Amino acid sequence: MARPPALPTDKKVEIVLDILSGRTTAAQAARSVGVSGQAISNWKNKFIAAGSDGLETGTDQHARREQQLLEEISELKSALGDSYLQLRTMRATLRARATFNRPPSSRPYGAIPKAS
């Protein structure tokens, strides 16, 4: 027997609320949308445990996770940029010290070391 197409979250919420309010039974709801009574029971239990977020499809969860990962990538890029700037500053400082500490004959012509 072929599996029926997945229902959208908002339709599942509507069905569960109808069952919880007594407007319909789980068996009637299952017949009307072409799913098993066990599926309806699972939706109801998930809804009670987590509200409508518990009925989100895998793609909704993947989209949320993807957004979290994109935010983390952005933070890591920013941290990498900060680290790179610190490295450049440290290298420049070390080069300046190395130039300052060389004897005058090894300095480039006309170079006068800056006092720190």
Side-chain angles (χ1 to χ4, degrees), residues 48-110:
I48 291 169
S52 62
D53 289 343
L55 298 175
E56 286 183 359
T57 63
T59 55
D60 293 338
Q61 292 170 351
H62 290 261
R64 187 178 322 129
R65 178 66 177 144
E66 182 178 357
Q67 184 60 37
Q68 289 172 342
L69 291 173
L70 289 173
E71 290 170 5
E72 186 176 346
I73 288 170
S74 178
E75 291 173 13
L76 291 171
K77 282 182 178 180
S78 177
L80 180 61
D82 291 344
S83 297
Y84 179 71
L85 290 175
Q86 289 176 355
L87 177 63
R88 284 185 60 184
T89 303
M90 291 172 61
R91 283 181 177 169
T93 302
L94 290 174
R95 281 190 201 111
R97 286 184 184 171
T99 303
F100 184 75
N101 292 332
R102 280 194 241 154
S105 61
S106 66
R107 291 185 196 136
Y109 179 73

Side-chain angles (χ1 to χ4, degrees), residues 11-83:
K11 182 66 176 167
K12 291 177 184 178
V13 170
E14 183 183 331
I15 292 167
V16 169
L17 289 174
D18 285 346
I19 293 167
L20 292 175
S21 68
R23 285 188 288 242
T24 187
T25 65
Q28 290 170 337
R31 280 192 301 276
S32 70
V33 293
V35 297
S36 69
Q38 184 61 47
I40 298 288
S41 178
N42 290 341
W43 298 348
K44 190 171 91 174
N45 291 337
K46 284 181 181 181
F47 183 81
I48 291 169
S52 62
D53 289 343
L55 298 175
E56 286 183 359
T57 63
T59 55
D60 293 338
Q61 292 170 351
H62 290 261
R64 187 178 322 129
R65 178 66 177 144
E66 182 178 357
Q67 184 60 37
Q68 289 172 342
L69 291 173
L70 289 173
E71 290 170 5
E72 186 176 346
I73 288 170
S74 178
E75 291 173 13
L76 291 171
K77 282 182 178 180
S78 177
L80 180 61
D82 291 344
S83 297

